[in-house]
Amino acid sequence: MQNQQGGQSGQKIQNPETQIPKTPQMNERDFAQDMLTTEKYMTNAYSVAMNEMSNQSVYQDLATIFKETQDCQRQLFEMMFKNGWYSLEQVGQQKMQQSYQQFSNYKNQLPYVQH
């Protein structure tokens, strides 16, 4: 079950946090965060490599590995979110509209987009 905390703008969406010992040694949350960060880095690296790959066979192998890595990253995220170790910020319509407008302005600056 998800809890929503905070005010009207920028509500925090987070499950109740699974308590872990707070010691100088790495704990389960620290290891999960380290693995999640590594998986995010790896999916980014595989994506770049696939963009540069000319050999179709190697490209297909990388695409398979990329998908497996992406799935692992998603499973880690879901586990961390379930345990309350990863939270999201719920944004309102106004903030979404501001972001949309900002990126629409960027799009208008691109040379290959028809205006």
Side-chain angles (χ1 to χ4, degrees):
M1 175 179 280
Q2 297 173 358
N3 288 340
Q4 293 187 2
Q5 303 168 346
Q8 197 63 314
S9 65
Q11 289 181 336
K12 191 175 187 181
I13 302 170
Q14 181 176 15
N15 287 307
E17 186 173 348
T18 300
Q19 294 302 309
I20 48 174
K22 306 230 188 276
T23 64
Q25 291 79 26
M26 287 184 69
N27 56 41
E28 185 178 356
R29 179 178 184 240
D30 296 332
F31 283 114
Q33 182 63 51
D34 185 56
M35 289 186 297
L36 180 63
T37 300
T38 300
E39 295 298 325
K40 287 180 176 182
Y41 170 79
M42 289 173 59
T43 56
N44 185 52
Y46 286 133
S47 179
V48 170
M50 288 178 357
N51 287 338
E52 301 295 326
M53 191 58 52
S54 63
N55 182 289
Q56 184 63 27
S57 178
V58 177
Y59 174 84
Q60 290 299 329
D61 289 343
L62 279 178
T64 300
I65 295 168
F66 172 84
K67 175 74 169 101
E68 291 170 356
T69 304
Q70 186 67 41
D71 291 347
C72 185
Q73 180 270 321
R74 182 67 185 179
Q75 291 169 358
L76 284 165
F77 162 78
E78 289 172 349
M79 183 271 296
M80 291 186 72
F81 186 76
K82 177 183 171 191
N83 285 302
W85 301 336
Y86 203 107
S87 62
L88 305 170
E89 180 184 347
Q90 181 178 3
V91 297
Q93 185 65 31
Q94 182 179 2
K95 189 166 186 175
M96 285 179 57
Q97 186 62 37
Q98 287 172 343
S99 292
Y100 175 80
Q101 187 62 47
Q102 176 185 0
F103 287 102
S104 291
N105 290 340
Y106 292 158
K107 183 177 84 173
N108 292 333
Q109 297 173 20
L110 296 174
Y112 302 110
V113 177
Q114 293 185 11
H115 303 286

